[in-house]
Amino acid sequence: SQQGEEDPQALSIQEGENATMNCSYKTSINNLQWYRQNSGRGLVHLILIRSNEREKHSGRLRVTLDTSKKSSSLLITASRAADTASYFCATHGSSNTGKLIFGQGTTLQVKP
Amino acid sequence: DVKVTQSSRYLVKRTGEKVFLECVQDMDHENMFWYRQDPGLGLRLIYFSYDVKMKEKGDIPEGYSVSREKKERFSLILESASTNQTSMYLCASSGDRQYQETQYFGPGTRLLVL
C-alpha cells in the first residue's frame, strides 16, 4: 500500500500564484522527500526534510513537516509555467533498506 | 552530477519475448532500484539491490527478474513479456542505505508489449 498520499490530485493555477501540495503518510519516518516529474521523464529530487526538522527552504520551494499529524506540505511560490509537472512525496519504509515509498502524486498545471 | 542512464527511451516488444532493460549509474552508488509507473497506481517497486549480486524483491516482483553483476549496472528482465507489463519503467540509484539518501532517477523506458 502507498505510504504517502498527496492532495490534491490535480491543481491548476495562474503563473505568479503560489501552489500548495499536501502529503500524508502512515508510519514513522526518518525523512520525507519531494520529487518532481516532467511529463514522460524520470523523477528529479527536490528537497529532503528530516523527521527532526519542521520547515525547510530551497529557492522558491518551502516544505513543512508535522510528524504529529504525519503530514507534509510543499509550497511553490511565484509559480512559473515551467513548474508544470507532477510532484510526489516519498518516505522510507520502516526497514533499513533504502526503499522509498511514493505517493500517487499531484499534477500541477501553471497557466501562462 | 549523478547520472543514471537507461538503455532505451521507448521499446516495443511482442508477447512472450524476453526483454532486457539496462540501467547504469556513474556515482558508485550501492543501491539500485527498478520501479514501474502506471496511471492511477503511482510508482511501484519491482526489485532492488544494495550490493553486487544481491537482490531483494519489491512490491511487485512477479514476472520480473534482475541481475547485478557489476556495481554500476542493474538489469531488469521480463522473462516472457505480457501485455500487462506495458508500462513506464524507471531505474534509480542511491548511496548509503543506512542514511536513506535521495534517489537519482534515469529518464525512464516506456515499454509497449503487443
Side-chain angles (χ1 to χ4, degrees):
Chain A
S1 62
Q2 294 291 334
Q3 165 83 314
E5 298 292 338
E6 284 95 342
D7 169 57
Q9 289 189 348
L11 184 59
S12 181
I13 59 174
Q14 293 294 133
E15 208 166 26
E17 294 180 342
N18 295 342
T20 300
M21 289 159 266
N22 303 296
C23 168
S24 60
Y25 57 92
K26 297 175 184 174
T27 63
S28 61
I29 60 171
N30 288 333
N31 67 59
L32 185 144
Q33 303 176 28
W34 285 91
Y35 289 79
R36 164 198 169 124
Q37 183 181 34
N38 287 75
S39 180
R41 309 292 298 187
L43 278 71
V44 175
H45 176 256
L46 293 176
I47 197 165
L48 180 153
I49 186 165
R50 302 198 183 278
S51 59
N52 60 354
E53 297 176 308
R54 291 296 166 259
E55 188 170 314
K56 202 161 184 180
H57 296 254
S58 176
R60 293 183 296 112
L61 305 180
R62 173 177 165 250
V63 169
T64 61
L65 179 64
D66 186 337
T67 52
S68 66
K69 295 181 180 178
K70 292 187 170 57
S71 67
S72 174
S73 66
L74 171 67
L75 168 67
I76 304 174
T77 59
S79 64
R80 305 166 183 169
D83 294 329
T84 295
S86 293
Y87 293 82
F88 296 86
C89 69
T91 57
H92 281 91
S94 56
S95 59
N96 189 23
T97 62
K99 288 172 55 177
L100 274 177
I101 303 173
F102 287 85
Q104 300 273 345
T106 292
T107 300
L108 172 66
Q109 182 186 27
V110 181
K111 299 175 185 175
Chain B
D1 283 351
V2 175
K3 192 166 186 182
V4 179
T5 57
Q6 294 183 229
S7 50
S8 304
R9 290 297 315 280
Y10 301 95
L11 211 51
V12 180
K13 296 292 181 181
R14 297 216 171 265
T15 301
E17 280 192 76
K18 191 168 186 176
V19 182
F20 293 87
L21 302 183
E22 304 283 339
C23 175
V24 178
Q25 49 94 4
D26 67 357
M27 283 301 292
D28 200 35
H29 280 168
E30 292 182 358
N31 309 313
M32 297 188 75
F33 307 83
W34 273 107
Y35 297 89
R36 64 177 282 177
Q37 184 178 25
D38 302 286
L41 296 176
L43 273 81
R44 293 179 291 167
L45 182 63
I46 304 171
Y47 266 99
F48 64 103
S49 167
Y50 50 85
D51 203 350
V52 175
K53 298 193 185 294
M54 302 294 287
K55 60 183 180 183
E56 295 282 344
K57 292 180 179 179
D59 300 318
I60 52 163
E62 297 77 21
Y64 303 94
S65 62
V66 289
S67 172
R68 191 149 180 219
E69 296 296 320
K70 293 184 179 181
K71 192 174 185 179
E72 68 271 18
R73 187 179 297 270
F74 192 35
S75 303
L76 180 69
I77 304 154
L78 286 66
E79 297 290 344
S80 178
S82 62
T83 55
N84 63 13
Q85 292 178 310
T86 290
S87 186
M88 172 73 138
Y89 289 88
L90 293 164
C91 174
S93 72
S94 70
D96 190 337
R97 63 187 168 122
Q98 179 181 357
Y99 298 103
Q100 300 180 343
E101 295 180 3
T102 63
Q103 291 188 9
Y104 298 88
F105 283 81
T109 295
R110 193 169 291 281
L111 172 67
L112 173 63
V113 182
L114 300 174

